[in-house]
Amino acid sequence: MRTVTCRVTVYFDDPFWAMLYERESGGWYEANRTVFGAEPKDYEVYAFLLQNWKQLRFSPPVQAGEQARRPDNPKRRQRAARKAVEPAGTGTKAQQALAAQREQGKQARRVRTREEKEREAEERYKKHRQKRREKHKGH
């Protein structure tokens, strides 16, 4: 008996929504990436797959690695499904905004310190060159 495993993932690939359709059959793995414009609804993705099944162009088959098969635990499957559906960010919108603000501050601080280090290195170099010129003149 041949087992076929399929997985559809819809994700936001800035600036568009994309669908990744993966299938594994007989030890071979193939993938198809389709770009949508706006965020598609579940029924739109399903209708798209039904209508355009034959037109999907998959990647060349790649040898699939062996995966350890565990007995399916319904709680584990439920946890995995919930994790896949939940937004990637942690915390509330306010926490996410504060984290973004901290990140911006970090970036600005890095730029500022890099410029200061370059300026100090330039000053040291100028002093060194001036000293060498004075020694060369014999003073």
Side-chain angles (χ1 to χ4, degrees):
M1 178 196 230
R2 193 165 128 180
T3 305
V4 177
T5 305
C6 298
R7 180 175 38 218
V8 175
T9 307
V10 177
Y11 61 96
F12 184 68
D13 189 14
D14 199 21
F16 303 110
W17 286 85
M19 175 187 74
L20 181 66
Y21 183 83
E22 303 167 288
R23 69 179 177 195
E24 190 174 331
S25 172
W28 295 96
Y29 172 83
E30 297 172 304
N32 167 271
R33 180 177 178 268
T34 304
V35 178
F36 292 109
E39 181 177 8
K41 305 279 188 223
D42 291 343
Y43 61 86
E44 292 173 337
V45 173
Y46 183 65
F48 175 82
L49 286 173
L50 289 177
Q51 291 172 359
N52 301 307
W53 175 255
K54 293 185 180 188
Q55 287 82 21
L56 291 180
R57 292 179 38 202
F58 287 90
S59 66
V62 178
Q63 188 71 33
E66 277 297 316
Q67 295 181 348
R69 244 350 242 188
R70 295 171 141 176
D72 283 347
N73 181 337
K75 286 186 179 180
R76 181 175 287 122
R77 280 189 308 205
Q78 189 177 30
R79 246 184 270 128
R82 189 179 312 119
K83 186 177 180 181
V85 171
E86 282 181 359
T90 58
T92 63
K93 286 185 182 180
Q95 289 172 331
Q96 291 174 355
L98 290 174
Q101 183 183 17
R102 277 193 302 274
E103 192 63 33
Q104 282 180 338
K106 233 192 279 187
Q107 294 295 332
R109 192 167 44 253
R110 285 180 184 158
V111 169
R112 196 169 48 246
T113 55
R114 182 174 54 241
E115 289 172 354
E116 287 175 6
K117 284 182 181 180
E118 289 173 356
R119 194 172 31 252
E120 288 172 4
E122 185 67 28
E123 284 294 324
R124 278 196 311 269
Y125 178 74
K126 284 182 182 177
K127 283 183 184 178
H128 174 72
R129 293 308 303 160
Q130 183 65 29
K131 214 173 186 182
R132 297 307 294 167
R133 281 194 204 107
E134 288 175 8
K135 282 188 178 182
H136 185 69
K137 289 181 182 177
H139 292 102

Short mmCIF file of all heavy atoms in Angstrom, two decimals, residues 50-81:
data_model
loop_
_atom_site.label_atom_id
_atom_site.label_comp_id
_atom_site.label_asym_id
_atom_site.label_seq_id
_atom_site.Cartn_x
_atom_site.Cartn_y
_atom_site.Cartn_z
N LEU A 50 -9.29 22.57 -6.10
CA LEU A 50 -10.17 21.72 -6.90
C LEU A 50 -10.17 22.11 -8.37
O LEU A 50 -10.16 21.26 -9.25
CB LEU A 50 -11.60 21.79 -6.35
CG LEU A 50 -11.83 21.11 -5.00
CD1 LEU A 50 -13.26 21.32 -4.55
CD2 LEU A 50 -11.52 19.62 -5.09
N GLN A 51 -10.17 23.42 -8.65
CA GLN A 51 -10.25 23.88 -10.04
C GLN A 51 -8.92 23.76 -10.78
O GLN A 51 -8.89 23.46 -11.97
CB GLN A 51 -10.72 25.33 -10.09
CG GLN A 51 -12.15 25.52 -9.68
CD GLN A 51 -12.52 26.99 -9.55
OE1 GLN A 51 -11.69 27.87 -9.75
NE2 GLN A 51 -13.77 27.25 -9.22
N ASN A 52 -7.82 24.01 -10.10
CA ASN A 52 -6.52 24.10 -10.77
C ASN A 52 -5.59 22.94 -10.45
O ASN A 52 -4.38 23.06 -10.59
CB ASN A 52 -5.83 25.42 -10.39
CG ASN A 52 -6.67 26.60 -10.77
OD1 ASN A 52 -7.09 26.74 -11.90
ND2 ASN A 52 -6.94 27.47 -9.80
N TRP A 53 -6.14 21.84 -10.03
CA TRP A 53 -5.33 20.70 -9.63
C TRP A 53 -4.37 20.26 -10.72
O TRP A 53 -3.19 20.03 -10.48
CB TRP A 53 -6.24 19.55 -9.21
CG TRP A 53 -5.48 18.30 -8.91
CD1 TRP A 53 -5.38 17.19 -9.68
CD2 TRP A 53 -4.69 18.07 -7.76
NE1 TRP A 53 -4.59 16.27 -9.08
CE2 TRP A 53 -4.14 16.79 -7.89
CE3 TRP A 53 -4.37 18.81 -6.63
CZ2 TRP A 53 -3.31 16.24 -6.94
CZ3 TRP A 53 -3.54 18.25 -5.69
CH2 TRP A 53 -3.02 16.98 -5.85
N LYS A 54 -4.85 20.18 -11.94
CA LYS A 54 -4.02 19.65 -13.03
C LYS A 54 -2.98 20.66 -13.52
O LYS A 54 -1.99 20.28 -14.13
CB LYS A 54 -4.91 19.21 -14.19
CG LYS A 54 -5.74 18.02 -13.84
CD LYS A 54 -6.54 17.51 -15.01
CE LYS A 54 -7.35 16.30 -14.56
NZ LYS A 54 -8.00 15.63 -15.66
N GLN A 55 -3.21 21.95 -13.26
CA GLN A 55 -2.27 22.97 -13.73
C GLN A 55 -1.13 23.24 -12.74
O GLN A 55 -0.20 23.97 -13.08
CB GLN A 55 -2.99 24.30 -14.01
CG GLN A 55 -3.83 24.30 -15.25
CD GLN A 55 -5.20 23.68 -15.02
OE1 GLN A 55 -5.67 23.61 -13.90
NE2 GLN A 55 -5.83 23.23 -16.09
N LEU A 56 -1.20 22.68 -11.53
CA LEU A 56 -0.14 22.93 -10.55
C LEU A 56 1.17 22.33 -11.05
O LEU A 56 1.22 21.17 -11.46
CB LEU A 56 -0.51 22.32 -9.19
CG LEU A 56 -1.66 22.97 -8.45
CD1 LEU A 56 -1.90 22.25 -7.12
CD2 LEU A 56 -1.40 24.44 -8.19
N ARG A 57 2.23 23.14 -10.99
CA ARG A 57 3.54 22.67 -11.42
C ARG A 57 4.39 22.44 -10.17
O ARG A 57 4.69 23.37 -9.44
CB ARG A 57 4.20 23.70 -12.33
CG ARG A 57 3.46 23.81 -13.66
CD ARG A 57 4.05 24.84 -14.57
NE ARG A 57 5.50 24.88 -14.51
CZ ARG A 57 6.22 25.93 -14.87
NH1 ARG A 57 5.63 27.00 -15.32
NH2 ARG A 57 7.53 25.91 -14.79
N PHE A 58 4.77 21.21 -9.97
CA PHE A 58 5.53 20.85 -8.78
C PHE A 58 7.02 20.87 -9.07
O PHE A 58 7.45 20.77 -10.23
CB PHE A 58 5.13 19.46 -8.27
CG PHE A 58 3.79 19.45 -7.62
CD1 PHE A 58 2.64 19.22 -8.35
CD2 PHE A 58 3.67 19.69 -6.27
CE1 PHE A 58 1.41 19.22 -7.75
CE2 PHE A 58 2.44 19.70 -5.65
CZ PHE A 58 1.30 19.45 -6.39
N SER A 59 7.80 21.00 -8.01
CA SER A 59 9.26 20.97 -8.14
C SER A 59 9.69 19.57 -8.57
O SER A 59 8.92 18.61 -8.44
CB SER A 59 9.90 21.31 -6.80
OG SER A 59 9.60 20.30 -5.85
N PRO A 60 10.89 19.44 -9.07
CA PRO A 60 11.38 18.09 -9.39
C PRO A 60 11.39 17.25 -8.12
O PRO A 60 11.69 17.74 -7.04
CB PRO A 60 12.80 18.32 -9.90
CG PRO A 60 12.85 19.76 -10.28
CD PRO A 60 11.86 20.47 -9.44
N PRO A 61 11.07 15.97 -8.23
CA PRO A 61 11.02 15.13 -7.03
C PRO A 61 12.40 15.01 -6.37
O PRO A 61 13.41 14.87 -7.04
CB PRO A 61 10.57 13.77 -7.55
CG PRO A 61 10.19 13.96 -8.96
CD PRO A 61 10.69 15.27 -9.43
N VAL A 62 12.38 15.11 -5.05
CA VAL A 62 13.59 14.99 -4.25
C VAL A 62 13.40 13.81 -3.31
O VAL A 62 12.30 13.58 -2.80
CB VAL A 62 13.81 16.28 -3.42
CG1 VAL A 62 15.03 16.16 -2.54
CG2 VAL A 62 13.91 17.48 -4.34
N GLN A 63 14.47 13.08 -3.09
CA GLN A 63 14.40 11.94 -2.19
C GLN A 63 14.01 12.44 -0.80
O GLN A 63 14.68 13.30 -0.25
CB GLN A 63 15.74 11.21 -2.13
CG GLN A 63 15.72 9.92 -1.38
CD GLN A 63 14.98 8.83 -2.13
OE1 GLN A 63 14.99 8.79 -3.34
NE2 GLN A 63 14.34 7.94 -1.41
N ALA A 64 12.95 11.92 -0.25
CA ALA A 64 12.48 12.33 1.08
C ALA A 64 13.22 11.54 2.13
O ALA A 64 13.46 10.34 1.98
CB ALA A 64 10.98 12.12 1.20
N GLY A 65 13.58 12.21 3.21
CA GLY A 65 14.25 11.53 4.31
C GLY A 65 13.25 10.70 5.10
O GLY A 65 12.05 10.95 5.10
N GLU A 66 13.76 9.70 5.78
CA GLU A 66 12.90 8.86 6.60
C GLU A 66 12.49 9.61 7.86
O GLU A 66 13.33 10.21 8.52
CB GLU A 66 13.63 7.58 7.00
CG GLU A 66 13.59 6.52 5.95
CD GLU A 66 12.18 6.03 5.64
OE1 GLU A 66 11.41 5.80 6.59
OE2 GLU A 66 11.87 5.88 4.47
N GLN A 67 11.22 9.60 8.16
CA GLN A 67 10.73 10.23 9.37
C GLN A 67 10.29 9.14 10.33
O GLN A 67 9.65 8.16 9.92
CB GLN A 67 9.55 11.14 9.07
CG GLN A 67 9.92 12.33 8.22
CD GLN A 67 8.71 13.22 7.96
OE1 GLN A 67 7.59 12.83 8.23
NE2 GLN A 67 8.95 14.39 7.44
N ALA A 68 10.65 9.34 11.58
CA ALA A 68 10.22 8.37 12.59
C ALA A 68 8.72 8.52 12.78
O ALA A 68 8.22 9.60 13.04
CB ALA A 68 10.95 8.63 13.90
N ARG A 69 8.00 7.46 12.61
CA ARG A 69 6.55 7.48 12.74
C ARG A 69 6.16 7.20 14.17
O ARG A 69 6.53 6.17 14.73
CB ARG A 69 5.98 6.38 11.87
CG ARG A 69 5.10 6.63 10.68
CD ARG A 69 4.60 7.97 10.48
NE ARG A 69 3.14 7.94 10.56
CZ ARG A 69 2.40 8.94 10.28
NH1 ARG A 69 2.91 10.07 9.93
NH2 ARG A 69 1.12 8.86 10.37
N ARG A 70 5.43 8.11 14.76
CA ARG A 70 4.92 7.92 16.11
C ARG A 70 3.44 7.61 16.01
O ARG A 70 2.78 8.06 15.08
CB ARG A 70 5.04 9.19 16.92
CG ARG A 70 6.42 9.65 17.20
CD ARG A 70 6.29 11.00 17.82
NE ARG A 70 7.24 11.21 18.89
CZ ARG A 70 7.37 12.33 19.53
NH1 ARG A 70 6.63 13.35 19.21
NH2 ARG A 70 8.25 12.45 20.48
N PRO A 71 2.93 6.94 17.01
CA PRO A 71 1.48 6.79 17.02
C PRO A 71 0.84 8.16 17.21
O PRO A 71 1.33 8.97 17.98
CB PRO A 71 1.21 5.88 18.21
CG PRO A 71 2.51 5.63 18.88
CD PRO A 71 3.58 6.22 18.06
N ASP A 72 -0.21 8.44 16.46
CA ASP A 72 -0.85 9.75 16.53
C ASP A 72 -1.56 9.92 17.87
O ASP A 72 -2.41 9.12 18.25
CB ASP A 72 -1.87 9.91 15.40
CG ASP A 72 -1.19 10.21 14.08
OD1 ASP A 72 0.02 10.53 14.10
OD2 ASP A 72 -1.86 10.14 13.05
N ASN A 73 -1.16 11.00 18.54
CA ASN A 73 -1.80 11.36 19.80
C ASN A 73 -2.74 12.52 19.50
O ASN A 73 -2.29 13.57 19.01
CB ASN A 73 -0.72 11.78 20.80
CG ASN A 73 -1.29 12.15 22.15
OD1 ASN A 73 -2.45 12.50 22.25
ND2 ASN A 73 -0.46 12.09 23.17
N PRO A 74 -4.03 12.39 19.76
CA PRO A 74 -4.96 13.46 19.40
C PRO A 74 -4.65 14.79 20.10
O PRO A 74 -4.81 15.85 19.50
CB PRO A 74 -6.32 12.93 19.82
CG PRO A 74 -6.08 11.70 20.61
CD PRO A 74 -4.70 11.24 20.33
N LYS A 75 -4.17 14.74 21.33
CA LYS A 75 -3.84 15.99 22.02
C LYS A 75 -2.65 16.67 21.35
O LYS A 75 -2.61 17.89 21.20
CB LYS A 75 -3.54 15.73 23.49
CG LYS A 75 -4.77 15.43 24.31
CD LYS A 75 -4.42 15.34 25.77
CE LYS A 75 -5.65 15.06 26.60
NZ LYS A 75 -5.33 14.97 28.03
N ARG A 76 -1.66 15.88 20.95
CA ARG A 76 -0.49 16.45 20.28
C ARG A 76 -0.88 17.07 18.95
O ARG A 76 -0.42 18.15 18.58
CB ARG A 76 0.57 15.37 20.07
CG ARG A 76 1.83 15.90 19.39
CD ARG A 76 2.91 14.86 19.28
NE ARG A 76 3.50 14.63 20.60
CZ ARG A 76 3.54 13.45 21.20
NH1 ARG A 76 3.04 12.38 20.61
NH2 ARG A 76 4.09 13.31 22.38
N ARG A 77 -1.75 16.38 18.21
CA ARG A 77 -2.22 16.93 16.93
C ARG A 77 -2.98 18.22 17.16
O ARG A 77 -2.82 19.19 16.41
CB ARG A 77 -3.12 15.92 16.22
CG ARG A 77 -2.35 14.85 15.50
CD ARG A 77 -3.27 14.05 14.66
NE ARG A 77 -4.39 13.59 15.50
CZ ARG A 77 -5.11 12.52 15.26
NH1 ARG A 77 -4.87 11.81 14.19
NH2 ARG A 77 -6.09 12.16 16.05
N GLN A 78 -3.80 18.26 18.21
CA GLN A 78 -4.57 19.47 18.51
C GLN A 78 -3.64 20.61 18.88
O GLN A 78 -3.83 21.75 18.43
CB GLN A 78 -5.54 19.18 19.67
CG GLN A 78 -6.54 20.29 19.93
CD GLN A 78 -7.51 19.91 21.05
OE1 GLN A 78 -7.14 19.16 21.95
NE2 GLN A 78 -8.72 20.42 20.98
N ARG A 79 -2.61 20.34 19.69
CA ARG A 79 -1.64 21.35 20.07
C ARG A 79 -0.90 21.90 18.84
O ARG A 79 -0.71 23.10 18.69
CB ARG A 79 -0.63 20.76 21.04
CG ARG A 79 -0.71 21.37 22.41
CD ARG A 79 0.36 20.83 23.32
NE ARG A 79 -0.13 19.64 23.99
CZ ARG A 79 0.47 18.46 24.04
NH1 ARG A 79 1.63 18.29 23.47
NH2 ARG A 79 -0.06 17.45 24.67
N ALA A 80 -0.50 20.99 17.95
CA ALA A 80 0.22 21.40 16.74
C ALA A 80 -0.68 22.25 15.85
O ALA A 80 -0.23 23.26 15.28
CB ALA A 80 0.71 20.18 15.99
N ALA A 81 -1.95 21.88 15.73
CA ALA A 81 -2.87 22.66 14.91
C ALA A 81 -3.09 24.04 15.50
O ALA A 81 -3.09 25.05 14.79
CB ALA A 81 -4.21 21.93 14.78
#
